[in-house]
Amino acid sequence: MCGIVGVVSKSPVNQFIYDSLLLLQHRGQDAAGIATTDGQSFYMHKGNGMVRDVFRTRNMRDLPGTVGIGQVRYPTAGSSSAAQAQPFYVNAPYGIVLAHNGNLTNWEQLKDEMFRVDRRHINTTSDSEVLLNVLAHELQESSRDGLSVASLFQAVGKVHGRLRGSYAIVSIISGFGLLAFRDPNGIRPLCIGRFDGPNGTEWMVASESVALEGMGFAFERDVKPGEAIFISNDGKLTSQQCSAVSSMHPCIFELVYLARPDSVLDGVPVYDARLRMGDYLAEKISREIVNYKDIDVVMPIPDSSRPAAMQVAKRLGLNYREGFFKNRYVGRTFIMPGQAMRKKSVRQKLNAMRVEFKDKNVLIVDDSIVRGTTSQEIVQMARDAGARKVIFASAAPPVKFPNVYGIDMPTRSELVAHDRSDEEVARIIGADELIYQDVEDMKAAVRDINPALSDFDASCFDGHYITGDVTPEYLNRLEQQRKAPKAPVVESGEGDENEPRGVQLGL
Amino acid sequence: MCGIVGVVSKSPVNQFIYDSLLLLQHRGQDAAGIATTDGQSFYMHKGNGMVRDVFRTRNMRDLPGTVGIGQVRYPTAGSSSAAQAQPFYVNAPYGIVLAHNGNLTNWEQLKDEMFRVDRRHINTTSDSEVLLNVLAHELQESSRDGLSVASLFQAVGKVHGRLRGSYAIVSIISGFGLLAFRDPNGIRPLCIGRFDGPNGTEWMVASESVALEGMGFAFERDVKPGEAIFISNDGKLTSQQCSAVSSMHPCIFELVYLARPDSVLDGVPVYDARLRMGDYLAEKISREIVNYKDIDVVMPIPDSSRPAAMQVAKRLGLNYREGFFKNRYVGRTFIMPGQAMRKKSVRQKLNAMRVEFKDKNVLIVDDSIVRGTTSQEIVQMARDAGARKVIFASAAPPVKFPNVYGIDMPTRSELVAHDRSDEEVARIIGADELIYQDVEDMKAAVRDINPALSDFDASCFDGHYITGDVTPEYLNRLEQQRKAPKAPVVESGEGDENEPRGVQLGL
Amino acid sequence: MCGIVGVVSKSPVNQFIYDSLLLLQHRGQDAAGIATTDGQSFYMHKGNGMVRDVFRTRNMRDLPGTVGIGQVRYPTAGSSSAAQAQPFYVNAPYGIVLAHNGNLTNWEQLKDEMFRVDRRHINTTSDSEVLLNVLAHELQESSRDGLSVASLFQAVGKVHGRLRGSYAIVSIISGFGLLAFRDPNGIRPLCIGRFDGPNGTEWMVASESVALEGMGFAFERDVKPGEAIFISNDGKLTSQQCSAVSSMHPCIFELVYLARPDSVLDGVPVYDARLRMGDYLAEKISREIVNYKDIDVVMPIPDSSRPAAMQVAKRLGLNYREGFFKNRYVGRTFIMPGQAMRKKSVRQKLNAMRVEFKDKNVLIVDDSIVRGTTSQEIVQMARDAGARKVIFASAAPPVKFPNVYGIDMPTRSELVAHDRSDEEVARIIGADELIYQDVEDMKAAVRDINPALSDFDASCFDGHYITGDVTPEYLNRLEQQRKAPKAPVVESGEGDENEPRGVQLGL
Amino acid sequence: MCGIVGVVSKSPVNQFIYDSLLLLQHRGQDAAGIATTDGQSFYMHKGNGMVRDVFRTRNMRDLPGTVGIGQVRYPTAGSSSAAQAQPFYVNAPYGIVLAHNGNLTNWEQLKDEMFRVDRRHINTTSDSEVLLNVLAHELQESSRDGLSVASLFQAVGKVHGRLRGSYAIVSIISGFGLLAFRDPNGIRPLCIGRFDGPNGTEWMVASESVALEGMGFAFERDVKPGEAIFISNDGKLTSQQCSAVSSMHPCIFELVYLARPDSVLDGVPVYDARLRMGDYLAEKISREIVNYKDIDVVMPIPDSSRPAAMQVAKRLGLNYREGFFKNRYVGRTFIMPGQAMRKKSVRQKLNAMRVEFKDKNVLIVDDSIVRGTTSQEIVQMARDAGARKVIFASAAPPVKFPNVYGIDMPTRSELVAHDRSDEEVARIIGADELIYQDVEDMKAAVRDINPALSDFDASCFDGHYITGDVTPEYLNRLEQQRKAPKAPVVESGEGDENEPRGVQLGL
């Protein structure tokens, strides 16, 4: 998962995009990048690390211009190489920079086509570089008689025809303006903000509405599935549906876990959705746990499961308490020559307040269970703190399948719920009882808030992949590629290789 | 306020102290430092910034040895210069490194004495450097016939006689061992942990118990007011009360706000104290607000007021909801030549979930109110989000006086509650009603948990300064010195001057 | 002027190219860059500064592959922006990286053509980026039926037809091999080296033969004017004359000043050429200075005029002495806020040994005189050291015209010899007498060594521009563009902006 | 060997000392440091590397004040640890910073005494830190009744009594002034410069006169052996002979090799001394080499042997030519995982101009021969370039003994001339004939220029150690300590560990 932002302003945008990326930082902490243009040239800086570490004063100085895009990146399933920070750039036709949130499921075929047919070299294994080149190629074709908004939208239409997977896109065509579009299933979110300033209207597109509001822009609307938006360098916005077929299938994992609670995605306030999921979860608990009234306390795992846990407590008339404290200060483990490595205690990250657990029946609510290892540690901590009984509830249904649309998930064999019953999972994580949200309840919770949303991408829960091309063979191949995962940088320890490194556009 | 840690281990301590400092990072984010010894030489690295930014692989490699101390620093009232990261070092007698949490109220007189009598040069305006030199001087005197534990403790006794203010200290005497002590009023916390490992007993002292537990050490006990602890390089612990007069006056602000909720300070679990303060606050609310049953929802300001707010809600039988969301990703504002500076919206840091405020009577609980500006913004945000009525409650009493014992506080004129009635403050922050905790209730809340604690340093609430030397003239002088505060580094923007800079001990 | 190198090896080339660039560092100290390929992807790192400052261990690690190119850059007349380090990259067709030594005189027209006709965006004001795009365009055209060596050479032929100016080029076509070529006038040097190693033949091209020899490669031959060389990734070399018209006009300034004395360029050992110029200069001195026998001592300005000075002394039977000492350690002048800037004494760079000047008639031999300011200071230093009489001789003729073929020269009005007689120049620099080499003698000196060289680019001496397009209007425009020269970085002093900054290829 | 500088100015000295250190950079390239004072506090920055690499803008900004000292360091025999950059600081008494050029032969005994008697901790293995503490101790004693110039000089007298070895010292006593002194044998050079500026007289002391002149100061005089100089913060200079016994024994290796040719040391222009050594060497050649007239050409090894070689040529009436070219651009060898290391060709550093060697009898003159390995390579290069016969002459006598007075020299077994005849050395380096300067001729050469210099430290040539304490046992111990030399940093290659690292004084 990633966060993207684009802006057409009346004043310099470097600090503006930097601040926007901080508002989207929760969507990706692996890399960050900004590209700007003064109408003539592009300027770019990107690097591995968090926003605050990638950009220094001199980098910001080298990002002039009133139009720009930015991205924060989380490693996606298909490409996780550290060198592939976004945005990407191609110089023909016209000069285009682009940032992408999502994942293409057919990027390897496209890469091959690109080289054979269009002789375009893709230098990395990033699907986003492929995507940019497909767009560049189609724009080259569609603009043979001159570059126009119509030719842009025509190119986006062709792009929709060739891409499979998920993509929300911001890009700049040099000397022209900002182009944004969203895949025909609307899997990844993208919304438009507007600011009517003293020098005219300014526009912004971003992955989440918090970025708009945090920057003082008013939420205008969501980009529709398959739709393209063009904002000229002087601030005129045009839009068009560019896909013959389109239907809304937003990623439900955004609402469960990824997005900020204070965002509104496709008409759904995330916070409200999580509360509503709490309601359904409470219902199920009351149905399935006979003596649920004996639960002394309901507890969230900070920070994401708070709304659901609060609502569960309220619905069931139980006590809500915060018994876990999260340490927010994270450091590194250094490899010292000839020195044994001290095992990091889980307690450096999470700690249990004894008074809330001692001799109590505890209901722990987490947003979801993926590998199960963290849940297991949490259950153990509760017991160590004196809990008499530990019931574990997941606000999301069992995660049984990989996500191929831009969220980094382990392979099926690593998913604790894959091919296991709830009881088996309960035993593995050590809980006395385990309650999962039902898939249909989760969807109903969202529909209760926005009835217009009839369907979702919920593939990691229900195994249904909307793009139709995700076969068992595809998943097998994906898992093969993940087999030799590169050693986590934190353990390489040679020199300061894992310190942030910037890349300034030399083109 | 600062956090300090010291350890006498059987294996290298660089990573150990680094991890400990992360557990104390909430106590100071301005600077960090580590000093270690291999029994022969000292090794030190310190710098401005957070722990994760100050230490790189090469710095860690240059910190060998099995004995060491560390510090994280928050600017204190008396000395805020950026160049004065701790620990400090003097080479005579014996070689001593020292880290200090607290603030000396008579450091200027001591500095003068140091130079006149002992011809010791103090290179900075840090009271901690003065303190180290007083210790060095007294140790020089007391160890004329040879260095011994007795001479150490004798020196600490003399030090107690000369210092005024607050101090919790960790220090290393070269080739000898680790010395820790606490001022005779016990204002700043300090506790001892123990680990019985395969190679013998290892000892650790730290500002808070979370640091012990997070590192796998068992909490042994608190250091007593006026007591000194010595742990020889080979792990033997000796202790002695070094002050003729001593009595426990722990800083109550630690319990209100500073310490981590999962710490236990002087027998008081911080979390429990905050819950109990919630009880007393609820009582007062029920007494003072006639229609408190009309409150629709009780809301904390994340993260520190959660326990109090939860308890208020529970006691009053009101709904507890988290309507504010805090953005944890913080960046910088860069000064760009010829570019106007965009005002940072508060919403980049805190955001209100509309659904929780809309048409509701809201009771916002914060831990305390200092300047009042943040409270004012929070009230406004609640109103913008649709709140019908906003009641504001502070889990701490009105802050009316400066803190001179190591917590950076504004001058009296900047304290919103100084010389103002509660009604006046309510008007300033824009709340419909305002409830403050009572001073006696706050103290009672702590005593309920640990009846042994008869008295406290609560000077910022009650104006009573336990060290007896804080006269109106003293406070006036202090406030004069603060008058020309240096521009916040975030706004200097020239080059990357405010980036972390390490200092490796060249001695 | 720049230095370029390319290599097709059997083992990793990162250190190899780094070492080669050190051997060419005298050709440019402004920026450095390396691009490598593993046959699939390109890897690149470049930045401002000297080779030793631009590359760090982590950068070198990120440059895998057995084929690569490198460049060191000196700011050229047409483009001096600091952000434009080489190599450059385009991804269509095929993926090409390129490094350039020289200067295009028609790059602005070409840039315009590129955009209008081929819709190629040129992001910088570097003529080398334009050149790369012209090559890319022509290769796209010539390889419509598939990429082959023939299509490459055909593209180079077309490129020759479009470019004006000077260019020696190394480039890599992704997955194919290394392409090198030289402009049809052979203005900038380029030579080929060969190494028959255990794993087969390895090839290298470089600006000067010292780079070949220093790396253990045997000098094979010079690249001919207009010729192109292709070396496939597996080491097969092919070459072809790609220009219908070509004739050798090597830049004579290389022999006078730029190249290393131990290089051999187009059959001329540079050292020998300088000795021979000394012979002709001696002849002229003996003709023009009646009492030349009264000269007590002949002195070079270290380091470049040594050969000529030695030979002048020998020819005239005079004493040769080194009276000037050069300080090789260069630092920066920092701007300190509110601090006056101390004027740098010339004596920090050059110093005169009193004993060699005191009461003597001194003949100082320099390689050339450009602005005259340094010569003036040198004459003054000689007088300060006690010289009775100072005769100044220039081993090169008067520099009267700008160089537009890749050597950064001041405008005509700044050239001390422009529109001035020798006597006027003598008066300005303060010499008692001044002797310049004659243009014809300079050329004859080179022809004596390699009679095959009939003509040269000697434009800065004789005003004859071989490419035919350098009109007075062109020169006027050039000089207008130079009018507002950017402040020398050494004096900007804000932060550490002028410290080396690397750029790793993120493409 | 090191270079030191101290200045008492009327304006800020940071840039001034920086520039001075560049003028002394040839004396040490391992580390650099500056300490300044504003009369109240010291400010310091030091680090490993060359001056240009150690100091950045922010470091310079943090060095305020009008009084300061600086040092460049070359690893000395007794202490080569990388962490020990100078200056050093102690805070009692008064606060003193100090920089040292030389080497103490009894520092280990002193270190022991320091701890036992004065309980002063020496944190490093640097003899300079010991020296500073001896000074501090003696000043503490001598100034019991108050700090005065008399007490300073008294302390220096005591210091002279305790130290053995060589030392030229600059130091600052906080709030008082600059103290400089030189050991009673005057082994290491130190001179005084004066500048009568608009705001009064400014004073400077430095290792070599070039530093004075380059900074626009007039040479005032040399510091005498055993003499101390004090310059108060307001510019008043006082001096006194502080040693009961003193006699001039300047290090003759300074004149042979170390010092810059444009310096004047103890009345001897270095350049003149080298010329005169050339005269004596020529005499010996004419005596010992029968057919010396058959020598075609005399050649120096750039840069240091030029004066001697020129003079040899002149005296013998032979041709002087520069056939070797030196590459001044030095880089690193990076260790790449899994990549073989390419052997660096000598030709990357030195290259022979074929035309000067081809079929000639060549007399190569070098300044000295230490290990013999470089000489061997040079002879081979001359033969490879076609020399018919290679005669090698050393302007210095055979180096047969270690230097213990501050010049880093290999152990006796590594000295090619130790226990070997001239013929044996000739065979080892591959020369047809080998001529060494005679020890007495070398001394006579210097005496010819300054007859006042009756004796020298020439210990590495004649084995006579003036301090009387250098026994065979001492030398054996020294050589034992050198046995396990740390791996050259250039080959460690892990991360960028060998990049310059600064240390800002945190005290």
Side-chain angles (χ1 to χ4, degrees), chain A residues 244-276:
Chain A
V245 187
S246 74
S247 67
M248 191 58 131
H249 291 82
C251 171
I252 205 162
F253 214 69
E254 295 267 355
L255 300 170
V256 167
Y257 172 73
L258 299 180
R260 261 178 57 167
D262 44 350
S263 276
V264 179
L265 303 185
D266 294 316
V268 182
V270 175
Y271 179 74
D272 299 10
R274 290 182 190 168
L275 292 178
R276 196 78 189 105

Coordinates of all heavy atoms in Angstrom, one line a residue, chain A residues 244-276:
Chain A
A244 N -14.9 1.8 -20.6 CA -16.2 1.3 -21.1 C -17.0 0.6 -19.9 O -18.2 0.9 -19.7 CB -16.0 0.4 -22.3
V245 N -16.3 -0.2 -19.2 CA -16.9 -0.9 -18.1 C -16.3 -0.5 -16.8 O -15.0 -0.4 -16.7 CB -16.7 -2.4 -18.3 CG1 -17.5 -3.2 -17.3 CG2 -17.0 -2.9 -19.7
S246 N -17.1 -0.2 -15.8 CA -16.5 0.1 -14.5 C -17.5 -0.1 -13.5 O -18.7 0.0 -13.7 CB -16.1 1.6 -14.5 OG -17.2 2.4 -14.4
S247 N -17.0 -0.6 -12.3 CA -17.9 -0.7 -11.2 C -17.1 -0.6 -9.9 O -15.9 -0.9 -9.9 CB -18.6 -2.1 -11.2 OG -17.7 -3.1 -11.1
M248 N -17.7 -0.2 -8.9 CA -17.0 0.2 -7.6 C -16.8 -1.1 -6.8 O -17.7 -1.8 -6.4 CB -17.9 1.1 -6.9 CG -17.2 1.8 -5.7 SD -15.7 2.7 -6.2 CE -16.0 4.2 -5.4
H249 N -15.5 -1.4 -6.6 CA -15.1 -2.5 -5.7 C -14.0 -2.0 -4.8 O -12.9 -2.5 -4.9 CB -14.6 -3.7 -6.5 CG -15.7 -4.4 -7.2 ND1 -16.1 -3.9 -8.5 CD2 -16.4 -5.5 -7.0 CE1 -17.0 -4.8 -8.9 NE2 -17.2 -5.7 -8.0
P250 N -14.3 -1.1 -3.9 CA -13.2 -0.6 -3.0 C -12.6 -1.6 -2.1 O -13.4 -2.5 -1.6 CB -13.9 0.5 -2.2 CG -15.3 0.2 -2.2 CD -15.6 -0.5 -3.5
C251 N -11.4 -1.5 -1.8 CA -10.7 -2.5 -1.0 C -11.2 -2.3 0.5 O -11.1 -1.2 1.1 CB -9.2 -2.2 -1.0 SG -8.2 -3.1 0.3
I252 N -11.8 -3.4 1.0 CA -12.4 -3.3 2.3 C -11.4 -3.2 3.4 O -11.6 -2.8 4.5 CB -13.5 -4.4 2.5 CG1 -14.5 -3.9 3.5 CG2 -12.8 -5.7 2.9 CD1 -15.8 -4.7 3.5
F253 N -10.1 -3.7 3.1 CA -9.1 -3.7 4.1 C -8.7 -2.3 4.5 O -8.1 -2.0 5.5 CB -7.9 -4.5 3.5 CG -7.1 -5.2 4.6 CD1 -7.6 -6.3 5.3 CD2 -5.8 -4.8 5.0 CE1 -6.9 -6.9 6.3 CE2 -5.1 -5.4 6.0 CZ -5.7 -6.5 6.6
E254 N -8.9 -1.3 3.5 CA -8.7 0.1 3.9 C -9.5 0.5 5.1 O -9.0 1.2 6.0 CB -9.1 1.0 2.7 CG -8.2 0.8 1.4 CD -7.1 1.8 1.4 OE1 -7.0 2.7 2.3 OE2 -6.2 1.7 0.4
L255 N -10.8 0.0 5.1 CA -11.7 0.4 6.1 C -11.4 -0.3 7.4 O -11.5 0.2 8.5 CB -13.1 0.2 5.7 CG -13.5 0.9 4.4 CD1 -14.9 0.4 3.9 CD2 -13.6 2.4 4.7
V256 N -11.0 -1.6 7.3 CA -10.7 -2.4 8.4 C -9.4 -1.9 9.2 O -9.4 -1.8 10.4 CB -10.5 -3.9 8.0 CG1 -9.8 -4.7 9.1 CG2 -11.8 -4.5 7.5
Y257 N -8.4 -1.5 8.4 CA -7.1 -1.4 9.0 C -6.2 -0.2 8.4 O -5.6 0.5 9.2 CB -6.3 -2.7 8.9 CG -4.9 -2.6 9.3 CD1 -4.6 -2.5 10.7 CD2 -3.8 -2.6 8.4 CE1 -3.2 -2.4 11.1 CE2 -2.5 -2.5 8.8 CZ -2.2 -2.4 10.2 OH -0.9 -2.3 10.5
L258 N -6.2 -0.1 7.1 CA -5.2 0.7 6.5 C -5.4 2.2 6.6 O -4.5 3.0 7.0 CB -5.1 0.4 5.0 CG -4.7 -1.0 4.6 CD1 -4.6 -1.1 3.1 CD2 -3.4 -1.4 5.2
A259 N -6.6 2.7 6.4 CA -6.8 4.1 6.3 C -6.9 4.7 7.7 O -7.1 4.1 8.7 CB -8.1 4.4 5.5
R260 N -6.7 6.0 7.7 CA -6.8 6.7 9.0 C -8.3 6.8 9.4 O -9.1 7.0 8.5 CB -6.2 8.1 8.9 CG -4.8 8.2 9.5 CD -4.1 9.5 9.3 NE -4.9 10.6 10.0 CZ -4.4 11.8 10.2 NH1 -3.1 12.1 9.9 NH2 -5.1 12.7 10.7
P261 N -8.6 6.7 10.7 CA -10.0 6.7 11.1 C -10.7 8.0 10.7 O -11.9 8.0 10.5 CB -9.9 6.5 12.6 CG -8.5 6.8 13.0 CD -7.7 6.5 11.8
D262 N -10.0 9.1 10.6 CA -10.6 10.4 10.3 C -10.7 10.7 8.8 O -11.0 11.8 8.4 CB -9.9 11.5 11.1 CG -8.4 11.4 11.0 OD1 -7.8 10.4 10.5 OD2 -7.7 12.4 11.4
S263 N -10.4 9.7 8.0 CA -10.7 9.8 6.6 C -12.1 9.3 6.2 O -12.7 8.6 6.9 CB -9.6 9.0 5.8 OG -8.4 9.7 5.6
V264 N -12.5 9.9 5.1 CA -13.8 9.4 4.5 C -13.5 8.9 3.1 O -13.0 9.6 2.2 CB -14.8 10.6 4.4 CG1 -16.1 10.1 3.7 CG2 -15.0 11.2 5.7
L265 N -13.7 7.6 2.9 CA -13.4 6.9 1.6 C -14.6 6.5 0.9 O -15.4 5.7 1.4 CB -12.5 5.7 1.8 CG -11.2 5.8 2.6 CD1 -10.4 4.5 2.6 CD2 -10.3 6.9 2.0
D266 N -14.8 7.0 -0.3 CA -16.0 6.6 -1.1 C -17.2 6.8 -0.3 O -18.1 5.8 -0.3 CB -15.8 5.2 -1.7 CG -14.6 5.2 -2.7 OD1 -14.5 6.1 -3.6 OD2 -13.8 4.3 -2.6
G267 N -17.3 7.8 0.4 CA -18.6 8.1 1.1 C -18.6 7.4 2.5 O -19.6 7.6 3.2
V268 N -17.6 6.7 2.9 CA -17.6 6.0 4.2 C -16.6 6.6 5.1 O -15.4 6.5 4.9 CB -17.3 4.5 4.0 CG1 -17.4 3.8 5.3 CG2 -18.3 3.9 2.9
P269 N -17.1 7.2 6.2 CA -16.2 7.7 7.2 C -15.6 6.4 7.9 O -16.3 5.5 8.3 CB -17.0 8.4 8.3 CG -18.3 8.8 7.5 CD -18.5 7.7 6.5
V270 N -14.2 6.3 7.8 CA -13.6 5.1 8.3 C -13.9 4.8 9.7 O -14.1 3.6 10.1 CB -12.0 5.2 8.1 CG1 -11.3 4.0 8.6 CG2 -11.7 5.4 6.6
Y271 N -13.9 5.8 10.5 CA -14.2 5.6 11.9 C -15.5 5.0 12.1 O -15.7 4.0 12.9 CB -14.1 7.0 12.6 CG -14.4 7.0 14.1 CD1 -13.4 6.5 15.0 CD2 -15.6 7.5 14.6 CE1 -13.7 6.5 16.4 CE2 -15.8 7.5 16.0 CZ -14.9 7.0 16.8 OH -15.1 7.0 18.2
D272 N -16.5 5.5 11.4 CA -17.9 5.0 11.5 C -17.9 3.5 11.1 O -18.6 2.7 11.8 CB -18.8 5.8 10.6 CG -18.9 7.3 11.0 OD1 -18.0 7.7 11.9 OD2 -19.7 8.0 10.5
A273 N -17.2 3.2 10.1 CA -17.2 1.8 9.6 C -16.7 0.9 10.7 O -17.2 -0.2 10.9 CB -16.4 1.7 8.3
R274 N -15.6 1.4 11.4 CA -15.0 0.5 12.4 C -16.0 0.4 13.6 O -16.1 -0.7 14.2 CB -13.7 1.1 12.8 CG -12.7 0.9 11.7 CD -11.3 1.4 12.0 NE -10.5 1.4 10.7 CZ -9.3 1.9 10.5 NH1 -8.8 2.6 11.5 NH2 -8.7 1.8 9.3
L275 N -16.7 1.5 13.9 CA -17.7 1.3 15.0 C -18.7 0.3 14.6 O -19.1 -0.6 15.4 CB -18.4 2.7 15.2 CG -17.5 3.8 15.8 CD1 -18.4 5.1 16.0 CD2 -17.0 3.5 17.2
R276 N -19.2 0.4 13.4 CA -20.3 -0.5 12.9 C -19.8 -1.9 12.9 O -20.5 -2.8 13.3 CB -20.7 0.0 11.5 CG -22.0 -0.6 11.1 CD -23.2 0.1 11.8 NE -24.5 -0.5 11.5 CZ -25.1 -1.3 12.4 NH1 -24.7 -1.4 13.6 NH2 -26.2 -1.9 12.1

